[in-house]
Amino acid sequence: MNHILPILAGIILLLFGRTLFWLFVGLAGFLFGLEIAPQLFHLESSAMTFLVALLVGIVSAILAIFLQRLA
C-alpha cells in the first residue's frame, strides 16, 4: 500500500501538470510526513501519524509558496 500512493501521485501530476502544482507540493509533504512521522515521534496511533503527516504537508506547501515569492 505504501508504494501505491507515490505512484498514483506521479500519474496525476503527469496528467494535470502545472494546474495542480501547489496541491502536489502539499501532497509530497504529506507523503514525506507519513513516512517519517512514526520514526521521528515514535507514534503508535495511526490517527496521530495521519495528523502529523497532514501538518507536514500544510507546512511544506506554505513554505514552498513563501520561498517562491522570496526567489
Side-chain angles (χ1 to χ4, degrees):
M1 183 67 179
N2 284 344
H3 300 294
I4 294 173
L5 291 176
I7 292 171
L8 185 63
I11 290 171
I12 293 172
L13 183 57
L14 284 173
L15 293 175
F16 296 104
R18 198 165 191 214
T19 58
L20 297 176
F21 178 73
W22 296 115
L23 176 68
F24 282 101
V25 169
L27 180 63
F30 173 77
L31 291 175
F32 176 73
L34 200 60
E35 289 292 321
I36 202 77
Q39 298 165 357
L40 284 179
F41 301 111
H42 305 290
L43 299 172
E44 298 289 329
S45 170
S46 61
M48 283 302 292
T49 302
F50 182 78
L51 185 64
V52 169
L54 187 63
L55 183 64
V56 170
I58 291 170
V59 168
S60 66
I62 291 171
L63 186 63
I65 291 170
F66 174 74
L67 289 176
Q68 180 195 24
R69 290 183 186 190
L70 185 65

